[in-house]
Structures are given as C-alpha cells and as structure tokens.
DNA sequence: GTGGTCTAGACCACA
DNA sequence: GTGGTCTAGACCACA
C-alpha cells in the first residue's frame, strides 16, 4: 500500500498517516489481521520520525482500527463487531456531514448530485458484509 | 442567528466561526445580501478577540461566501452563479467524502444508511434553486 | 500543589504526573475551573521535557479531567455531570479491585480491615456532593 | 484454572500472568501447596515464550506467592503466616487505593458505593481464616 | 527486534 | 504567550 504525505499540508503528518491507513482498511488495501509495517520501518520509508508514526499508531489503536501486540507489532483490527455503528460515531458523522453538505449546497450541488458522489466512493470500498 | 463556540475544541475558534456562518448561509438562517455583524460587534458578543473574527471573515471572503464592503461591512454573497460546482470544490469534496465514508464503512454504515443521513441533512438546507 | 516525580519508577513520568493531578483534583488541592500551570512552566518546575507534560495533559484531557483552551491553557474540568459513574469506569474499577483485593486477602487483610483503609482514604478526599 | 491473556493489552504478558495467578490463589482456584504447571507446559498452553512464564514465576516467587523447588517445580505457597499484613504491602496498598479512590470520587462513586463494590469482590474470595 | 518513553531543541498556528 | 507538532537521537522493557 502506497502512502504519500504532504509536508506542507495543514493536516499534521500523524493525522495524514492515520487517515490514509483508515482509507486503506476501508478500501481493502489493508486486510483485517494484516500486519502493518513496524514503526521504525514506516518512519524510514516515509522519511519521517518514529515518534510521528508512533503517534499515528497510538491514535489508530485508541480508535480501535488497529491492535498493537508487543510481540508482533501492529495489526489491522477491523472486526466489524467492535466498531459497528456506535452512536458516538454516528453523532460525529452527522456533524461532519452538516458542514460538508452546507458547503456543497452553496456550491450548487443538490441531493442527487451529492448522492452520486457518495455512491462512487462507496464503490471503491470493500464490502465486508 | 445563534453562534456557539467551544473554547476547548480541537477546531480553532476562527474555523468554528467560519463553519457556523457557512452552515447559517446554507440553512437560510443568513440570507443572501444579509448584513453580518461588524467584526467588533461579533467579537464582543462572543467574548473573543477581534483578530479571531477578522480571520474568519477574511477566510469567508476569500472563499467567496461573503463580500466585504468598506462602507457597509460584510454581507452574505451567495449568488449561486459565483460558486456553482467549481471543479476545485468538487475535488476537495471528494477527498473529504473518501475519508468520511471510509470511517463510516468500517463502522458498519452501508451506502443506504449513509444516504439516509445525507438526505436528513439536505432537508435542513434551503432550496435556492 | 506539590508534585514529585520518581525518575526511577516503573511508572512513566507522564503517567505519574497524570496520577498526581487526578489525586490533586479529588482531594481538592486543585479546584474545579482552576488553571493548571502552562506546559512550559510545569516542565521547567519539574525539570522534565515539555513533551512529557504535554502527553500527561493530553491524556487528562482525553479522560475528561481537564479542559484545554488555546487561549488560557489547561483548566480542571471536573463537572461531576460529565464523568459521573460511567459503566465503563465502573467496569475498569472492578477489575482493579479484584487484583488489589486478591493481594490484600493473601496478605491477611480482611473485608473490615480493607474497608477501614478505604474510609481513611475517602476522608482525605473532598466531598463535592 | 483458565488463564486468558490479552496480547494487545498495555499490561505486559508476564504481569497479566502473575496477576491471574494471584487472583487464582486468592479465590481458591489454586490451593495452598498446589503444584503449578511447569514453565514449559504453561508456555505451550498459552502459546507464549517460556521466558515470559519464567519471568512471571520468578516475580511470584520473589513476592512470596509461590515457592520453587527444583525437584517438584512451582507450588502455591500461601501460608498466611508468611505474608500477613506486612507494612510494606500495606504501604503499597494505600498508595494504590489513593489513586483508585481519587478516580472513583471524581466519577461520583461515594464511600458507600465503593464499599459495596469491595464487598462483592471479597465475597468471591476464599476465607482462609 | 518490537513498541514505549524521554530529551533538547526547534518551529508553527492560534489568540 | 499558549499548546501542538516534529525531528534526531537515545535508552529501556518486553518477548
């Protein structure tokens, strides 16, 4: 899986890394139980500090996306049961949607157009059900 | 229109302010051509620094959501023609959707469920067409 | 409030710091809404790195014990309503008690004796109800 | 006696193992003088390294919970007289209680509620007196 | 070999 | 002035 970071982005490196791994999991580029690179390895590959990778991994662990095992490093968790549709997640999602859709509406994107964009994205995702 | 800021949020104050104004415009709480409070006034009302409000207004202006006229202060711009479906906006939107939908998929929210959430939000928006 | 860290402890510095602040809040040495020292200041006072203090503060924030406001730094949160008796906390507490009480039983400390020790500790805590 | 380790826990494996054995002794799942599995056997059963089991056993021995005899392997020690209420243990216990109770108080658990939780746990323990 | 912690020092966004 | 992020480099516990 290819990860590319933008050094000049507003989004911190550790968050970009976290985001790309989340997308990697959802699109099936990273499979459940798949081993992630070690902190050291990934830091070297990306040309960034181990602490930065560490922070991304710690965040992903805290969010339940990965599992960290002292023996074998980090693995993709995604056992749907763990995370399925928590009300907390849905609440956050609704808030993000409100803003995104507000921006879209102002730019003339109507419900149908928006729905089409969503469907395109959904098609890139794996179907784990 | 009521604006409430979370002082302890991860989102900077100026960005929260910008977001709420964008949502205000999209939902019709702020009408096209409507005059916004002066920087000084809004800063006082919200108990924050004028610099912060200034930054939010500058951002909104740069994005085309408002226009600033030295004589009359800030006004809501939204003339659909100005902003309609720029490729730049669509590209950003698709990127945001990719992340949001990745997270949603992992949390077990399928296309239909997601679509329903979007429609609910769209119903809260004004129809300017 | 006096904070003393043991450099040779098994407990990481950031966790020791977190623990002492939690105890400070519970015992009333730190009052609700009270401002904590800045990251820099506390790091200097304790002779440790700012990152370490940062980590402790981030943890306390995540757990809801403090609130971080970009304008004025960190403040004690403790509004009982926020944290009151979450089932999650109770479950963790029961697990910790199981181990502690197992050790106590083996060392000949019976229910009554244990209860007395708890009461002594409770008396040092503030009563916020 | 069933031992289950969480590979992705923050608590090191050897410490989890030590804790479960201590709880096993206190609850009577392991009886005084009872023989523990060999290091090799337990490591195999749990699917972990013999070094890890070794470390747990060494710790339990050092703490006086078990005795290790080259001929007969490891046995549960617990002869109450050996460990009864050492001041060292009491001091450590008080420190642990201080933190746990601080957290409990902040989460709205009062003395009575806490006492009830303790009693429930005590009921699961064996009475060796 | 693995992640976790810590330091000294730096720069940046926010307010 | 505030916290947030990042680096280079180091050491440690765990396995």
């Amino acid at each position: 899986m290819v990860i590319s970071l933008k050094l000049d982005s507003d989004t911190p490196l550790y968050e970009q890394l976290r985001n790309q791994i989340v997308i990697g999991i959802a699109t099936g580029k990273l499979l459940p139980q798949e081993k992630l690179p070690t902190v050291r390895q990934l830091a070297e590959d990306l040309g960034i500090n181990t602490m930065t990778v560490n922070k991304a991994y710690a965040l992903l662990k805290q969010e339940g996306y990965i599992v960290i095992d002292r023996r074998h490093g980090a693995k993709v968790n995604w056992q749907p049961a763990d995370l399925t549709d928590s009300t907390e997640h849905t609440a956050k999602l609704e808030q993000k949607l409100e803003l995104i859709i507000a921006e879209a509406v102002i730019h003339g994107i109507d419900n149908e157009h928006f729905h089409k964009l969503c469907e395109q994205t959904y098609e890139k995702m794996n179907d784990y059900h």
Side-chain angles (χ1 to χ4, degrees), chain A:
Chain A
M1 179 192 166
V2 183
I3 289 175
S4 66
L5 304 177
K6 289 181 193 163
L7 296 175
D8 61 335
S9 164
D10 290 334
T11 313
L13 293 178
Y14 79 90
E15 203 175 322
Q16 290 184 47
L17 187 48
R18 176 262 181 209
N19 289 346
Q20 299 214 16
I21 290 174
V22 169
I23 293 173
I25 296 173
T27 55
K29 277 172 212 141
L30 291 169
L31 297 173
Q33 308 294 337
E34 182 170 339
K35 200 175 166 308
L36 294 176
T38 67
V39 170
R40 268 182 245 280
Q41 186 62 53
L42 190 50
E44 196 184 334
D45 289 356
L46 297 173
I48 62 177
N49 196 282
T50 55
M51 291 270 306
T52 308
V53 178
N54 204 324
K55 193 162 183 178
Y57 277 21
L59 185 56
L60 287 161
K61 177 189 175 186
Q62 188 210 313
E63 295 178 311
Y65 291 114
I66 67 172
V67 155
I68 296 176
D69 171 347
R70 266 209 205 77
R71 300 181 306 169
H72 308 109
K75 273 190 324 182
V76 174
N77 184 17
W78 195 17
Q79 296 161 316
D82 286 9
L83 299 168
T84 297
D85 204 6
S86 70
T87 47
E88 193 190 354
H89 175 260
T90 308
K92 282 184 191 165
L93 172 57
E94 281 171 340
Q95 273 214 324
K96 286 183 202 162
L97 277 181
E98 184 182 27
L99 180 58
I100 280 188
I101 291 181
E103 290 169 347
V105 165
I106 300 178
H107 285 84
I109 298 176
D110 62 15
N111 195 349
E112 270 183 68
H113 186 173
F114 194 86
H115 182 42
K116 203 165 294 173
L117 290 172
C118 292
E119 275 193 321
Q120 281 169 20
T121 305
Y122 257 99
E123 276 163 23
K124 293 191 293 182
M125 303 289 159
N126 255 21
D127 182 17
Y128 286 87
H129 308 291

